[in-house]
Amino acid sequence: MTTVKVEKINKKPFKLSLKQKNWLLSFHIGFAALWTGTVLSMFLIALRNKDTANSEILFALNSAINLLDDVVVIPSAIGSVVTATLLCWGSNYGFFKFYWVITKWILTTGLIIFGTFWLFPWGNAAEEIALSEGLEAFNNPIYLFDARGVLIGSLIQVSFLLIIIAISTLKPWGRRTVK
């Protein structure tokens, strides 16, 4: 009779060393900091935007918001998700072992969906209207809606990013019990 060696089904495809995990965690924190700080900057620019008395400044502020979104927010959000995926995959965190990890995934996914389908289009539309209409944009209900959407949406985003950072730091909920 021959003995067959059975491998663990749950064996990870790779395991990060402590040094690799720390480097990856450092990049993850860096991406989260970039994302959060840039969205905060977008909020402050959007706040300044509503009091602008010069059409060129109005366009420049709307353009700056979109530039920050395109050049910093989108890449840092992608970097945050990629590093989080690698951390979950290659460490003991796992994807579904801890409630705090699951919560972070849900919130991050929500922020990316909100940014992609609402915040990003509002910012683009506001910039286009500011370019074509100048200060008359303040009489355009579409511009007013989109600019307000960017202002409130960026405040919502930065608030949820700060909540995600707090969850990462405090890890308030424990390990899931799987039966």
Side-chain angles (χ1 to χ4, degrees):
M1 183 170 188
T2 58
T3 310
V4 178
K5 186 177 180 183
V6 178
E7 291 187 34
K8 274 179 122 178
I9 294 174
N10 292 334
K11 187 176 179 183
K12 291 190 175 290
F14 77 97
K15 175 86 168 138
L16 293 169
S17 70
L18 182 59
K19 188 174 185 176
Q20 290 170 324
K21 180 185 167 234
N22 287 340
W23 273 104
L24 198 54
L25 186 58
S26 295
F27 279 108
H28 182 65
I29 292 168
F31 285 127
L34 276 171
W35 187 3
T36 305
T38 305
V39 173
L40 177 60
S41 298
M42 291 168 61
F43 167 74
L44 294 172
I45 293 169
L47 190 61
R48 172 66 175 95
N49 189 24
K50 66 185 188 74
D51 298 326
T52 302
N54 179 305
S55 62
E56 291 174 1
I57 293 174
L58 179 67
F59 170 71
L61 292 172
N62 281 283
S63 182
I65 290 168
N66 285 329
L67 180 67
L68 289 170
D69 192 35
D70 292 344
V71 175
V72 183
V73 171
I74 293 170
S76 61
I78 292 168
S80 180
V81 169
V82 168
T83 54
T85 302
L86 292 172
L87 282 166
C88 286
W89 192 28
S91 73
N92 290 329
Y93 295 137
F95 290 95
F96 304 107
K97 290 181 182 178
F98 296 92
Y99 287 110
W100 64 271
V101 173
I102 296 168
T103 303
K104 282 182 59 177
W105 278 111
I106 292 168
L107 293 175
T108 301
T109 301
L111 287 178
I112 290 172
I113 290 169
F114 175 69
T116 301
F117 294 107
W118 288 279
L119 199 52
F120 181 72
W122 290 335
N124 284 339
E127 180 183 8
E128 289 175 18
I129 294 169
L131 176 62
S132 65
E133 297 182 17
L135 291 178
E136 286 301 310
F138 288 124
N139 296 320
N140 183 329
I142 295 171
Y143 175 81
L144 294 173
F145 177 85
D146 291 339
R148 191 173 305 116
V150 170
L151 178 68
I152 295 168
S154 59
L155 181 60
I156 290 168
Q157 282 238 325
V158 79
S159 299
F160 275 93
L161 286 164
L162 291 172
I163 290 168
I164 291 169
I165 290 169
I167 290 169
S168 299
T169 306
L170 301 173
K171 298 173 181 51
W173 308 289
R175 191 177 186 97
R176 286 181 58 219
T177 54
V178 181
K179 294 181 182 184

